[in-house]
């Protein structure tokens, strides 16, 4: 059964009636197909692809061209889920004009329905400029991976009264700037609960406890496909990495042992055609013409 297309208004209504929002990252066509079949509400093409797909040490090296390529691939698979693309580091910090230009590129060339950018009050003016240009924006506060070095590494944010208040002020500022939703990453649960209660827009948590309006996880973390590290807040729902590894190992063993390909994987030629082929070889005739490989 085909699902109804999810819009930003549907996401807002889910928040208002207390229906939880399920959001996952995806970076290519087959992953997006599976996410769509699972019934997720939002697919995020995150700049986390820099680490889990391209093998970088952080998200910082990700470019606009990379994001557009991955967003476009995902867009060809999803039909109902709401599609969001990350604004990579360097694409929105230099000026509001450049931020608007890059946000529009993600929509026009990556076919996303909204963009996500990291930061609090310091990016509120940029968010406002992007929304004025007609592009929907999801905010992202708390642990912001693009600026993790400034935060002292991948650390929980909002653990003191002062920093928790700063997060709330950031959330309110982003809401007023026009964000339609907000990601809270690595934030104490009570802080995330308070922010969620005080906002008019849905929050999506990742390491922010169960009280947010929705939850998001990184594809490779939740399915056991990334072994460099496992965040405390991430749950491994399947170990697909081990399943894939077993399949690849079996392939290598069967190729080396001569058991693959088997008879069921082989194409055959009739005795009559084979005889004609052999006769053609002996007569020095054109083999392709003798076997009818070029039409006719």
């Amino acid at each position: 059964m085909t699902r109804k297309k999810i819009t930003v208004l549907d996401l807002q209504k889910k928040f208002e009636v207390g229906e939880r929002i399920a959001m996952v990252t995806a970076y290519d066509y087959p992953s997006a197909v599976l996410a769509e079949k699972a019934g997720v509400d939002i697919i995020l093409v995150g700049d986390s692809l820099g680490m889990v797909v391209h093998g970088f040490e952080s998200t910082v090296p990700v470019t606009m061209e990379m994001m557009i390529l991955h967003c476009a691939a995902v867009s060809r698979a999803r039909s109902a889920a709401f599609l969001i693309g990350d604004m990579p580091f360097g694409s929105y910090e230099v000026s509001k004009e450049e931020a608007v230009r890059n946000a529009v590129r993600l929509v026009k060339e990556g076919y996303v329905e909204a963009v996500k950018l990291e930061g609090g009050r310091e990016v509120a003016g940029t968010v406002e400029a992007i929304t004025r240009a007609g592009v929907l924006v999801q905010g992202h506060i708390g642990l912001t991976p693009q600026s993790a070095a400034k935060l002292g590494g991948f650390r929980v944010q909002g653990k003191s009264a002062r920093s928790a208040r700063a997060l709330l002020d950031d959330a309110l500022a982003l809401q007023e700037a026009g964000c339609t939703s907000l990601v809270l990453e690595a934030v104490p649960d009570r802080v995330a609960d308070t922010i969620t209660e005080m906002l008019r827009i849905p929050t999506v948590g990742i390491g922010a406890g169960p009280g947010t309006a929705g939850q998001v996880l990184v594809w490779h973390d939740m399915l056991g496909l990334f072994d460099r590290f496992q965040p405390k807040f991430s749950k491994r729902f399947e170990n697909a990495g081990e399943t894939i590894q077993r399949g690849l190992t079996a392939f290598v063993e069967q190729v080396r042992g001569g058991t693959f390909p088997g008879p069921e994987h082989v194409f055959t030629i009739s005795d009559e055609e084979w005889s004609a082929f052999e006769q053609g070889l002996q007569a020095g005739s054109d083999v392709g013409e003798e076997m009818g490989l070029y039409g006719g």
Side-chain angles (χ1 to χ4, degrees):
M1 180 178 176
T2 302
R3 289 198 298 156
K4 175 181 175 291
K5 180 71 186 78
I6 295 174
T7 70
V8 66
L9 297 179
D10 295 320
L11 296 172
Q12 181 65 31
K13 185 174 181 180
K14 284 176 180 287
F15 170 55
E16 292 172 356
V17 301
E19 183 179 343
R20 300 297 176 131
I21 297 168
M23 173 171 157
V24 299
T25 66
Y27 314 104
D28 55 28
Y29 175 84
S31 299
V33 168
L34 294 174
E36 179 65 32
K37 289 181 178 179
V40 301
D41 300 303
I42 304 173
I43 294 177
L44 168 68
V45 185
D47 61 357
S48 48
L49 63 86
M51 302 172 74
V52 299
V53 176
H54 292 273
F56 294 128
E57 292 297 323
S58 73
T59 63
V60 172
V62 176
T63 65
M64 275 296 298
E65 284 65 33
M66 291 167 65
M67 289 305 306
I68 288 170
L69 179 68
H70 286 275
C71 286
V74 170
S75 75
R76 299 183 191 109
R78 63 103 176 118
S79 58
F82 190 77
L83 181 58
I84 301 176
D86 259 338
M87 298 277 287
F89 179 73
S91 67
Y92 57 92
E93 294 89 347
V94 176
S95 69
K96 294 177 184 177
E97 292 75 19
E98 185 171 352
V100 170
R101 182 164 52 251
N102 285 323
V104 170
R105 283 193 69 194
L106 273 181
V107 173
K108 286 177 65 69
E109 301 173 46
Y111 308 105
V112 301
E113 295 164 284
V115 301
K116 180 170 76 65
L117 58 122
E118 297 180 2
R121 284 159 287 175
E122 72 277 10
V123 300
T126 301
V127 169
E128 187 175 358
I130 293 173
T131 57
R132 276 203 309 267
V135 178
L136 299 176
V137 178
Q138 180 179 70
H140 183 155
I141 61 173
L143 171 58
T144 47
Q146 292 176 7
S147 55
K150 183 176 70 175
L151 299 174
F154 291 86
R155 298 173 179 271
V156 177
Q157 303 297 305
K159 294 182 70 174
S160 69
R162 181 177 180 180
S163 60
R165 177 68 207 203
L167 284 178
L168 175 58
D169 291 342
D170 285 339
L172 292 170
L174 290 172
Q175 175 179 260
E176 294 310 308
C179 281
T180 57
S181 60
L182 185 63
V183 170
L184 303 176
E185 181 169 357
V187 174
D189 54 357
R190 287 185 289 183
V191 176
D193 291 352
T194 299
I195 292 174
T196 300
E197 291 168 3
M198 297 192 69
L199 292 182
R200 303 184 305 272
I201 59 175
T203 57
V204 180
I206 177 167
T212 52
Q215 299 290 329
V216 59
L217 284 179
V218 172
W219 182 272
H220 291 65
D221 291 341
M222 66 185 293
L223 297 177
L225 294 170
F226 186 69
D227 60 2
R228 190 179 297 171
F229 61 85
Q230 180 76 13
K232 176 184 178 180
F233 54 71
S234 183
K235 178 178 179 178
R236 185 167 288 183
F237 287 84
E238 289 287 348
N239 205 332
E242 288 187 0
T243 301
I244 293 170
Q245 188 66 67
R246 285 195 298 270
L248 290 170
T249 301
F251 166 73
V252 172
E253 291 175 348
Q254 291 183 29
V255 168
R256 290 175 177 168
T259 58
F260 177 82
E264 67 274 26
H265 308 117
V266 176
F267 300 103
T268 61
I269 185 173
S270 69
D271 291 341
E272 179 182 350
E273 293 297 330
W274 180 250
S275 177
F277 170 74
E278 288 186 313
Q279 290 174 17
L281 286 178
Q282 293 170 2
S285 63
D286 184 270
V287 175
E289 181 179 349
E290 190 73 27
M291 296 182 65
L293 295 179
Y294 306 118

